[in-house]
Amino acid sequence: PPPLPPPPPAGPRARADDLEAAQECYAQRVADLLACGHRVVGLGGGHEIAYASFAGLARHLSRHERLPRIGILNFDAHFDLRHAERASSGTPFRQIAELCQASDWPFAYCCLGISRLSNTAALFDQAQRLGVRYLLDRQLQPWNLERSEAFLDGFLQSVDHLYLTVCLDVLPAAQAPGVSAPSAHGVEMPVVEHLVRRAKASGKLRLADIAELNPQLDSDQRTARIAARLVDSLVN
């Protein structure tokens, strides 16, 4: 690929706590990397990178397509559709929904691993209003894998481009302790990895993230090793 241009300046708005400015810088970097033909995998940190990743992918695709059909596949215990005055790791997919509405694009969001006890009734209502497709953590079990595959395949068939993001708190706490909200139930790593590989095999994957890793909370680097294994599944 051609050499990558230098990153854009952060600008006068950028401060240590200015998440929106950081997201804008990140989004432009993603768009530049994609334009140069690179395969992009984002690493977090908080899941607030999801909005920046999607914005960068949308910016890149809109140069070539008037109405790109981008599907968002999120492995997560949480919808992350919260309303708040400021952006946070709990707001990225609500921000994406607003971006899609402003651009008159479809909001195609599929979330696998939702914990019923970790999301409020208001968030489930919001997900229904926005047409979010989801499976609960207790539905994503090895004995139910065929149904999960069919659910995922149906979503993949409805989109042209895929943005895949994994929030590590989707995994059981014993497998991924290094997250801000360890899961009491979660989805086992073999199921997550299998579905990640299936999504990649669709040929529609354009961008991926692994998010919500906090090394200070990790134990024996278990979460980091899980994250590294998932990155390997995405790129090899």
Side-chain angles (χ1 to χ4, degrees):
L4 188 67
R13 290 185 62 246
R15 304 186 309 272
D17 64 344
D18 195 340
L19 179 56
E20 289 85 354
Q23 287 175 323
E24 168 59 28
C25 185
Y26 189 112
Q28 187 57 52
R29 192 65 167 167
V30 166
D32 290 342
L33 285 163
L34 292 171
C36 289
H38 292 285
R39 182 181 300 175
V40 181
V41 178
L43 300 176
H47 213 178
E48 57 268 16
I49 65 171
Y51 173 69
S53 290
F54 181 90
L57 176 60
R59 195 170 298 177
H60 168 67
L61 291 175
S62 63
R63 297 168 182 165
H64 312 284
E65 300 179 35
R66 187 184 66 83
L67 191 66
R69 296 196 307 164
I70 307 173
I72 306 159
L73 177 60
N74 180 25
F75 291 84
D76 203 329
H78 309 91
F79 286 117
D80 290 344
L81 290 167
R82 285 190 305 224
H83 283 278
E85 292 183 3
R86 299 185 66 184
S88 72
S89 62
T91 66
F93 301 102
R94 188 263 302 167
Q95 293 174 268
I96 293 173
E98 292 174 351
L99 175 62
C100 290
Q101 184 178 23
S103 304
D104 199 25
W105 292 354
F107 177 59
Y109 178 29
C110 177
C111 195
L112 302 182
I114 286 293
S115 168
R116 187 167 291 282
L117 298 179
S118 299
N119 294 268
T120 64
L123 285 171
F124 277 98
D125 290 343
Q126 172 83 330
Q128 184 175 10
R129 285 193 299 271
L130 292 171
V132 178
R133 307 186 197 188
Y134 66 90
L135 289 178
L136 300 175
D137 49 10
R138 59 182 173 80
Q139 295 175 296
L140 286 157
Q141 300 300 318
W143 50 263
N144 202 30
L145 193 57
E146 186 174 338
R147 181 187 174 194
S148 302
E149 291 173 341
F151 185 89
L152 174 59
D153 291 348
F155 175 71
L156 293 173
Q157 289 168 10
S158 70
V159 302
D160 297 324
H161 308 282
L162 181 66
Y163 162 47
L164 187 156
T165 181
V166 179
C167 181
L168 292 166
D169 69 17
V170 74
L171 295 151
Q175 295 180 11
V179 298
S180 58
S183 178
H185 189 290
V187 182
E188 296 288 335
M189 173 61 175
V191 174
V192 173
E193 185 179 34
H194 173 75
L195 294 176
V196 164
R197 288 183 175 274
R198 192 177 186 91
K200 180 191 173 187
S202 70
K204 297 180 179 182
L205 182 62
R206 306 289 178 259
L207 174 67
D209 292 334
I210 308 293
E212 282 293 333
L213 172 59
N214 186 337
Q216 294 180 340
L217 300 177
D218 208 359
S219 176
D220 301 324
Q221 295 187 321
R222 268 179 285 169
T223 318
R225 293 176 188 276
I226 286 275
R229 173 86 183 209
L230 289 170
V231 171
D232 181 76
S233 297
L234 287 165
V235 301
N236 291 322

